[in-house]
Amino acid sequence: MQWLGRRESSNVDDRRGVTGGPLAVGGGIIGVIFLLAKFLLGGGETSDLQQVFPQEQQQEMTAEQKAADDKRASYVKVVLADTEDVWDKIFNDMGKQYQKPTLVLFRGSTTSGCGGASSQSGPFYCPADNDVYIDLSFAEELQTRFGASGDFPLAYVIAHEVGHHVQSLLGLSNKMQRLRSEVTETEYNRYSVKMELQADFYAGLWAHYNQKMKNVMEQKDIEEALNAASAIGDDNITKGRVSPDAFTHGTSAQRMYWFKKGFETGDVKQGNTFEAGDL
Ligand SMILES: [Zn+2]
């Protein structure tokens, strides 16, 4: 995707320096205060501390790593700006007003309206505070762990999380919340898969409009997105260790199918994964 020099969203809460990374000293001081507080409050266990400040994030980044990280942050901000423009238009067409989410960039760990977040939790959307959370080290993980090459998989992941925000604005997240206490776990997982596949559809829809409105997409972007959707499918991640009943995001084939459907149709009404039977 052509992104250099394009508008960066200002709805970004950049916390990368707060808990380590390039500002390890700051993290260190907060860490000491945290330790002191734990001490004074009598909580002697160190496990919480490790959870909040895992070992890895205490490492300082080299200048080269920091430059790469900043470049990635800019990329994320451009993608977020693109999602704002696209969803503004789609909501407008539906006679509704799009409320923009805030994207929290962090490294290592941070807090969210949905509890603590760490690099292990992966990117996520928190309906309680309407924020998208992403640790940029996930971008590296996409390449090293999932083999999803290129820069577009990161855009796909952000568009997917923004898709969850759209679901929240349209009232679906609340419905899911209610279902959690009403249905069995297997049934709930089935609904969860439908939510996830719809977020994939919305990511594809975003890519469609991004091309239509801005003409910035390249052919390899869609290939990279499909490749990433395949790489992070439940069946691929669990490699048969988990039964399909426990799937919460959908198989590789399903994820690719719904992203592609959003991209090809460009029709928000085609994204009803809930009515799509067996998917
Ligand atoms: Zn998701």
Side-chain angles (χ1 to χ4, degrees):
M1 186 176 78
Q2 295 153 31
W3 66 277
L4 280 169
R6 293 208 288 111
R7 180 175 83 86
E8 296 185 4
S9 171
S10 53
N11 297 308
V12 173
D13 179 359
D14 194 344
R15 300 183 192 164
R16 283 176 301 153
V18 179
T19 56
L23 295 181
V25 176
I29 289 166
I30 293 167
V32 169
I33 293 169
F34 186 78
L35 186 65
L36 205 63
K38 289 244 2 164
F39 213 77
L40 295 172
L41 294 170
E45 296 152 52
T46 53
S47 60
D48 278 343
L49 190 69
Q50 270 159 7
Q51 230 177 13
V52 178
F53 297 103
Q55 211 57 40
E56 47 179 321
Q57 49 162 309
Q58 297 294 348
Q59 291 169 3
E60 250 179 272
M61 278 195 265
T62 64
E64 216 168 279
Q65 284 170 322
K66 194 180 177 314
D69 202 59
D70 286 343
K71 194 174 170 193
R72 226 167 239 157
S74 289
Y75 180 77
V76 167
K77 290 173 189 175
V78 169
V79 171
L80 185 66
D82 282 349
T83 65
E84 290 168 351
D85 296 341
V86 164
W87 285 108
D88 253 346
K89 178 180 167 33
I90 297 174
F91 269 63
N92 212 19
D93 289 350
M94 292 192 291
K96 294 181 201 290
Q97 173 122 37
Y98 180 60
Q99 290 153 288
K100 300 176 179 79
T102 296
L103 187 145
V104 179
L105 276 180
F106 69 100
R107 190 162 265 272
S109 63
T110 192
T111 52
S112 84
C114 300
S118 77
S119 33
Q120 276 82 34
S121 36
F124 67 97
Y125 172 72
C126 171
D129 57 19
N130 293 322
D131 288 353
V132 170
Y133 290 81
I134 183 161
D135 179 328
L136 285 182
S137 63
F138 183 75
E140 290 148 42
E141 212 176 318
L142 270 172
Q143 301 193 339
T144 53
R145 187 171 149 212
F146 298 110
S149 61
D151 59 5
F152 201 75
L154 184 57
Y156 155 61
V157 166
I158 293 161
H160 172 99
E161 298 309 335
V162 169
H164 285 311
H165 174 64
V166 169
Q167 291 173 323
S168 178
L169 294 180
L170 296 178
L172 263 169
S173 304
N174 279 343
K175 249 183 227 166
M176 279 296 281
Q177 208 63 34
R178 280 200 301 277
L179 276 172
R180 196 182 273 277
S181 55
E182 289 169 9
V183 299
T184 65
E185 202 182 333
T186 303
E187 277 174 309
Y188 184 80
N189 285 345
R190 224 166 273 156
Y191 282 114
S192 170
V193 167
K194 287 170 189 276
M195 283 287 277
E196 293 303 327
L197 294 177
Q198 189 176 55
D200 282 337
F201 173 85
Y202 285 157
L205 191 72
W206 163 75
H208 174 96
Y209 274 89
N210 215 34
Q211 174 59 15
K212 200 167 153 185
M213 291 164 66
K214 305 185 175 185
N215 197 21
V216 289
M217 305 284 294
E218 291 155 344
Q219 178 57 34
K220 71 175 168 62
D221 291 335
I222 302 309
E223 282 159 26
E224 285 173 10
L226 290 172
N227 184 18
S230 167
I232 58 180
D234 282 327
D235 51 341
N236 191 44
I237 290 177
T238 59
K239 296 271 187 244
R241 289 190 303 269
V242 172
S243 88
D245 276 352
F247 284 178
T248 53
H249 285 71
T251 62
S252 301
Q254 287 172 326
R255 300 200 70 166
M256 289 167 75
Y257 173 83
W258 285 98
F259 178 90
K260 216 169 161 186
K261 190 168 181 182
F263 180 70
E264 282 172 359
T265 65
D267 179 4
V268 69
K269 292 196 264 332
Q270 304 269 331
N272 195 341
T273 54
F274 292 85
E275 312 248 293
D278 279 344
L279 303 170

